[in-house]
Amino acid sequence: MENIIVLDFGGQYSQLIARRVRELRVYSELLPFNTSLDAIKEKNPSGIIFSGSPGSISAKNYTYQNNKQDYSIEYKNKAPEVPAGIFELGIPVLGICYGMQLITHLLGGEVSGSGSNEFGKTEMDLLAESPLFKGLKQTEVCWMSHRDSVVKIPYGFKVIASTPTLPVAGIGNNDKKIYGIQFHPEVIHTPSGMEILKNFLFDICGCTPSWTMVSIIENQAASIKNTVRGRNVICALSGGVDSTVSALLVNKAVGRKLTCIFVDHGLLRYGEDQQVEKTFRENFKINFIHIKAKERFLSKLKDVTDPEEKRKIIGNEFIRVFEEEARKIKNVEYLVQGTLYSDVIESGTGVAAKIKSHHNVGGLPADMNIKLIEPLRLLFKDEVRKLGIELGLSEEIVRRQPFPGPGLAIRIIGEVTHERLEILKMADRIVLEEIKRADLYQKIWQSFAVLPAIKSVGVMGDERTYAYPIVIRAVNSEDAMTADWVRLPYEVMERMSSRIINEVDGVNRVVYDISSKPPSTIEWE
Ligand code: XMP
């Protein structure tokens, strides 16, 4: 498979570079900058891109750290560099920002830390006919974000772009196919950025745009088939997008050898259990076991009010139920898991993944003595969604908002009883219906209802009531690490409030949560 390696120097846009390359239908992987030359050669890349970096060539005393991985121990007092010999491989190289400075530094040019800082949009002049800028205008807008600058270019290179404040905004050596640009082509603020990447991929590296969802399905299916070789495979279905798409992909490869076990803890949103069942039973020929374990989970949760204890109980019980069912299926050697590329990157680019506990469906047992199949390991979330569509899932399913593994139990403050669960389900259903009716569902990260453990006084039809309030929560977020509350239109809130109070027994008040994360969290427990 043709591929482009992005060597990650910790720049804020490193992931985005790989995504842009993939959007152009060439497979791209992000690897740490200190990946060995042999490991790079083994991948047989068509091209290599050096990312930006918070580091500096010119810094004398310098600690390099980023939030994904800590390289500071190895690279204290030294700017991160590429393995020696990388320029002799004959593979085209594109250095972006720090990447260009590194090329300059390593090939005998000079980088200065005392030049002018530049952040934001600027106009750039293209100075020479360069294959990197094919089809571009003489002057283009680009996005800059740098402190250091190239003051002397390496031997054999030409300056190919400059800005009013930066004489060297781009360099190129056509014979060696090595290029550097100070600006960021991967961000939308560089309008011709995709053209530049296209030129690099298709003209300079000679790639073809062949990495499509269909090719992913075909490649993955062949590889899974080859791995499984007639043995049985199981999949723990949570009903979420990742496990659903994983299951469909594995099903495509091994058909009836796969059994999906949907452990339904009864704590899903209104109607979701039926939706999962319908998806699998009606649309796909798949071995599907629906374990209706609501009573089992609720009896374990009886009298439990502590949030962490709830999570623990649900996680453990999930494992027990899953194990019981898995044991009934003979000759099982593999478990399907929906690990995504972002998880792989987070746990250390390219090296064996440490799987986050929340990701493996409530933490499946470590002692299961079972091998993992992770068909989405190479994909970003939006790619998984596209794959889901290609595999026959509806937009409605692939675009679902994130939902926590412990389900509504962590949105019911205090004890989870049948009655309280029913109240929350009905209120939550109304929140979602109104969000969808206002065409906000896809624009919001998460929107839901919470049931607190208090009651307040109200008056309904001349009668005093003493009932629960419902909290509406709607947040926007990029990655769930931080979140901001959504400024929902008053009319939408009004409709939710009046419908919840009128339609849900046991509720006499509706409030809106206007806290962001931090200091609050998205969920209430
Ligand atoms: P918090 O409440 O920590 O939530 O701001 C961040 C994101 O994680 C989801 N979440 C969970 N997902 N198991 C999960 O699979 C969990 O135990 C869990 N707790 C929170 C939450 O819905 C939000 O998207």
Side-chain angles (χ1 to χ4, degrees), residues 301-317:
L301 289 170
K302 193 168 167 5
D303 298 327
V304 179
T305 55
D306 180 71
E308 280 311 301
E309 206 180 327
K310 279 185 196 171
R311 268 170 210 272
K312 224 178 275 166
I313 290 171
I314 295 166
N316 282 338
E317 209 51 27

Side-chain angles (χ1 to χ4, degrees), residues 311 358 402-406 410-411 445-446 480 517 521-525:
R311 268 170 210 272
H358 87 255
F403 186 71
I410 58 167
R411 294 177 181 169
W445 175 266
Q446 275 174 295
K517 172 184 180 175
T521 53
I522 295 176
E523 304 291 346
W524 268 45
E525 285 197 337

Side-chain angles (χ1 to χ4, degrees), residues 6-19:
V6 177
L7 285 183
D8 179 15
F9 293 89
Q12 56 177 325
Y13 303 125
S14 303
Q15 262 205 45
L16 192 59
I17 302 171
R19 300 177 68 124

Side-chain angles (χ1 to χ4, degrees), residues 168-406:
V168 187
I171 57 172
N173 181 329
N174 292 342
D175 295 337
K176 293 205 148 91
K177 298 191 176 183
I178 300 175
Y179 299 87
I181 44 181
Q182 187 55 70
F183 57 92
H184 290 270
E186 69 277 20
V187 302
I188 50 169
H189 313 295
T190 302
S192 56
M194 285 302 257
E195 282 307 309
I196 295 171
L197 288 177
K198 257 190 214 168
N199 289 338
F200 180 67
L201 298 180
F202 304 134
D203 292 346
I204 296 167
C205 301
C207 294
T208 44
S210 53
W211 193 69
T212 60
M213 288 302 142
V214 174
S215 77
I216 297 171
I217 293 171
E218 282 168 2
N219 287 341
Q220 279 291 331
S223 136
I224 293 166
K225 207 173 192 166
N226 199 29
T227 308
V228 171
R229 289 188 187 279
R231 282 158 297 194
N232 284 331
V233 186
I234 50 173
C235 175
L237 266 188
S238 66
V241 179
D242 304 343
S243 66
T244 304
V245 174
S246 303
L248 293 183
L249 197 45
V250 175
N251 177 248
K252 186 135 190 117
V254 304
R256 292 285 182 181
K257 291 284 169 195
L258 170 72
T259 304
C260 293
I261 303 171
F262 172 40
V263 179
D264 174 4
H265 49 29
L267 302 161
L268 294 173
R269 303 183 105 166
Y270 181 87
E272 274 199 341
D273 49 343
Q274 284 118 304
Q275 195 187 30
V276 174
E277 165 118 26
K278 191 166 176 288
T279 302
F280 278 86
R281 287 214 198 282
E282 289 181 11
N283 302 339
F284 303 101
K285 284 199 174 68
I286 242 173
N287 291 325
F288 175 77
I289 304 176
H290 184 165
I291 307 295
K292 296 182 181 170
K294 180 177 172 189
E295 296 309 321
R296 182 168 171 170
F297 278 84
L298 287 200
S299 72
K300 289 277 173 191
L301 289 170
K302 193 168 167 5
D303 298 327
V304 179
T305 55
D306 180 71
E308 280 311 301
E309 206 180 327
K310 279 185 196 171
R311 268 170 210 272
K312 224 178 275 166
I313 290 171
I314 295 166
N316 282 338
E317 209 51 27
F318 191 96
I319 293 167
R320 296 287 87 82
V321 178
F322 181 75
E323 275 179 336
E324 285 165 25
E325 290 309 312
R327 234 176 269 130
K328 295 178 193 160
I329 305 162
K330 301 281 178 270
N331 191 22
V332 174
E333 268 204 49
Y334 293 95
L335 170 71
V336 180
Q337 200 159 267
T339 314
L340 300 189
Y341 195 48
S342 38
D343 305 312
V344 176
I345 291 176
E346 240 165 58
S347 47
T349 352
V351 282
K354 175 184 102 239
I355 293 142
K356 285 188 291 179
S357 56
H358 87 255
H359 206 86
N360 55 6
V361 203
L364 287 175
D367 59 352
M368 263 188 81
N369 198 16
I370 201 161
K371 293 174 211 147
L372 291 182
I373 293 182
E374 299 174 313
L376 310 180
R377 244 184 109 71
L378 302 178
L379 304 179
F380 291 110
K381 187 83 177 187
D382 52 331
E383 293 168 340
V384 170
R385 292 200 167 113
K386 283 190 202 140
L387 194 63
I389 298 283
E390 194 66 44
L391 286 163
L393 285 176
S394 64
E395 280 280 343
E396 196 189 351
I397 290 177
V398 299
R399 299 255 161 238
R400 260 188 305 193
Q401 291 178 356
F403 186 71

Side-chain angles (χ1 to χ4, degrees), residues 394-468:
S394 64
E395 280 280 343
E396 196 189 351
I397 290 177
V398 299
R399 299 255 161 238
R400 260 188 305 193
Q401 291 178 356
F403 186 71
L408 299 181
I410 58 167
R411 294 177 181 169
I412 295 176
I413 315 309
E415 195 187 350
V416 181
T417 61
H418 283 89
E419 181 218 354
R420 302 190 74 214
L421 182 58
E422 206 48 33
I423 291 176
L424 182 62
K425 267 194 184 179
M426 298 319 286
D428 184 69
R429 175 192 185 186
I430 294 170
V431 170
L432 266 203
E433 279 175 2
E434 292 304 327
I435 288 282
K436 284 181 180 165
R437 195 215 298 238
D439 199 20
L440 290 169
Y441 185 77
Q442 311 255 332
K443 297 175 188 140
I444 289 177
W445 175 266
Q446 275 174 295
S447 46
F448 55 88
V450 175
L451 179 65
I454 50 165
K455 287 187 175 180
S456 72
V457 175
V459 54
M460 269 169 149
D462 297 335
E463 293 225 7
R464 176 189 190 272
T465 58
Y466 188 58
Y468 291 114

